[in-house]
């Protein structure tokens, strides 16, 4: 039995997996604006939150001022927090860093982006979190299912995705 399990593990490790990488091109001005977090594998900052909306404002220094609003479980009060988002040195790809607490920065990779900037998928190099965000509070089921399948192929534990908005 041990031999069979070892062989299965070895075979599974050679299955092709899509690369978890940031998108090659990001227009910082187009990315700015309001995004609705529809589904997530949350960070410690997001656990339990719902109806999360994030507004990215590109400032003159080349990084985003970020305002996140959300509701806590069982409450209707809207909470908010400010953070910053920094583009990579090149400034034109999806490899950004979020700063929730100074001076700590966390990798924030845009791993998928609709051509028309109608939805975005944000992940982490180590698959620690995942966000599926849209410019609207809803997304067609087909689009959602296709995104989730691609995220699974990149190694994300999509069974941990939680819904943020009821649609």
């Amino acid at each position: 039995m041990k031999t069979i399990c070892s062989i299965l593990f070895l075979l599974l490790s050679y299955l092709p997996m899509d690369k978890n990488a940031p998108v090659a091109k990001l227009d910082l001005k187009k990315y700015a604006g309001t995004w609705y977090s529809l589904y997530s594998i949350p960070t410690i900052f997001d656990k339990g939150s719902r109806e999360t909306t994030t507004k990215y404002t590109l400032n003159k220094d080349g990084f985003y001022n970020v305002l996140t609003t959300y509701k806590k479980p069982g409450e209707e009060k809207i909470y908010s927090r400010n953070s910053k988002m920094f583009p990579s040195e090149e400034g034109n790809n999806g490899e950004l860093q979020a700063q929730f607490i100074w001076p700590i920065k966390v990798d924030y990779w845009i791993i998928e982006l609709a051509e028309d900037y109608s939805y975005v998928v944000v992940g982490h190099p180590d698959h620690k979190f995942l966000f599926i965000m849209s410019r609207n509070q809803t997304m067609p089921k087909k689009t959602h299912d296709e995104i989730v399948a691609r995220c699974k192929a990149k190694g994300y534990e999509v069974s941990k995705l939680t819904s943020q908005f009821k649609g």
Side-chain angles (χ1 to χ4, degrees):
M1 185 64 162
K2 203 175 195 180
T3 304
I4 293 172
C5 287
S6 296
I7 292 170
L8 282 174
F9 177 76
L10 189 61
L11 290 173
L12 289 174
S13 66
Y14 285 104
L15 287 177
M17 185 179 286
D18 290 348
K19 187 175 180 186
N20 181 42
V23 296
K25 184 147 178 60
L26 174 67
D27 182 322
L28 296 175
K29 289 180 182 174
K30 281 186 183 179
Y31 190 75
T34 300
W35 292 95
Y36 296 93
S37 181
L38 303 182
Y39 305 92
S40 68
I41 298 174
T43 69
I44 58 170
F45 297 104
D46 307 302
K47 286 193 183 206
S49 66
R50 62 186 175 86
E51 297 181 35
T52 303
T53 303
T54 306
K55 183 175 182 181
Y56 297 86
T57 305
L58 189 60
N59 65 33
K60 63 180 172 47
D61 296 321
F63 65 87
Y64 294 104
N65 293 314
V66 182
L67 174 64
T68 303
T69 59
Y70 59 97
K71 293 180 183 177
K72 292 181 179 181
E75 295 184 34
E76 290 304 311
K77 179 181 174 185
I78 297 175
Y79 293 86
S80 66
R81 74 173 165 265
N82 292 297
S83 59
K84 296 178 181 177
M85 189 74 56
F86 297 90
S88 67
E89 293 295 319
E90 295 80 35
N92 62 353
N93 67 20
E95 190 173 339
L96 294 97
Q97 290 193 313
Q99 186 177 66
F100 301 104
I101 301 169
W102 184 87
I104 301 166
K105 293 181 182 176
V106 177
D107 288 322
Y108 177 104
W109 281 8
I110 297 173
I111 61 171
E112 187 172 328
L113 182 62
E115 200 171 304
D116 64 355
Y117 285 64
S118 61
Y119 75 81
V120 65
V121 182
V122 175
H124 186 272
D126 297 328
H127 303 90
K128 292 180 181 179
F129 58 80
L130 183 70
F131 295 93
I132 300 173
M133 301 189 298
S134 174
R135 296 292 188 178
N136 301 302
Q137 289 184 13
T138 60
M139 173 182 283
K141 181 173 177 8
K142 182 179 184 228
T143 304
H144 165 267
D145 292 347
E146 291 169 351
I147 292 170
V148 170
R150 288 189 295 270
C151 290
K152 184 176 183 178
K154 291 177 182 177
Y156 287 92
E157 292 185 56
V158 296
S159 62
K160 292 183 177 181
L161 281 170
T162 60
S163 178
Q164 290 276 311
F165 286 87
K166 303 299 176 205

